[in-house]
Amino acid sequence: MPTGVAIRDVREQLFEAAERILLRDGPSALTSRAVTTEAGCAKGVLHRHFADFDDFLAELVLDRAGRMAAQATALRGAAGTGTVVGNIADALTTIFRSVAVALVALITFRDELRARLRRTWPAGVPLLAEAVIMVADYLMAERDLGRVAPGADVGMLAPTLIGAGHLLFADRQASPPEPEAVRTMVSTVLSGVLPNPPASGGG
């Protein structure tokens, strides 16, 4: 009987294999056989650790959503440093250059996976929902520090930023957007709630 440590190692090995397939070939190529082949495991290994393939995929999505907690802590800790636009642009780039975009496509692609996820995640799409909370918490912190306007509706701004960021990165076949394009998008969304820069020149 494998130990708990061994089980965790096998789970992560299978998760990483699934991510590589998603990033390389897209959701249509993701099957249990493809995952075990990619991971270099026997065909039955996946089904010894998960009830079925959709259970495996649901666990993968929830595991990766849970990992965003560390990034949320880092972004919240950046409040008051750097620039608001730069901090959010960097956070969005980190999120969407990961496997997040491919996992969102997978959730959209598989009806049964969406049904499984609703049992533990009744509202929103995992990963995107966590990203919205992360950005909203950061904007509230910056609002408290006076670097975002007091009346800023962070509940509207956060999903707008995540939605726009997802669209920028969503084309799996294209090169990722340039950093300046991400900053421009963030600056545009936040244009009404950031302090105006000091005017230059004479008066």
Side-chain angles (χ1 to χ4, degrees), residues 29-119:
L30 198 61
T31 64
S32 59
R33 175 72 63 87
V35 170
T36 53
T37 299
E38 180 76 21
C41 297
K43 289 182 288 186
V45 167
L46 187 148
H47 293 286
R48 285 203 295 272
H49 296 292
F50 301 93
D52 55 32
F53 191 53
D54 283 300
D55 179 54
F56 165 76
L57 295 177
E59 290 292 329
L60 167 63
V61 171
L62 293 172
D63 180 83
R64 278 16 186 183
R67 291 187 177 197
M68 292 185 67
Q71 187 179 350
T73 299
L75 181 59
R76 177 66 174 74
T81 68
T83 67
V84 174
V85 169
N87 290 339
I88 293 179
D90 289 346
L92 293 181
T93 299
T94 299
I95 294 168
F96 291 120
R97 275 191 170 167
S98 72
V99 75
V101 169
L103 286 174
V104 171
L106 176 67
I107 294 167
T108 303
F109 183 76
R110 294 183 71 99
D111 294 340
E112 179 58 27
L113 175 57
R114 289 198 303 278
R116 298 288 180 96
L117 289 170
R118 284 193 204 102
R119 298 174 191 172

Side-chain angles (χ1 to χ4, degrees), residues 68 71-72 75 91 95 129-139 162:
M68 292 185 67
Q71 187 179 350
L75 181 59
I95 294 168
E130 288 295 290
V132 168
I133 293 169
M134 177 180 75
V135 171
D137 285 348
Y138 169 74
L139 288 173
I162 295 302

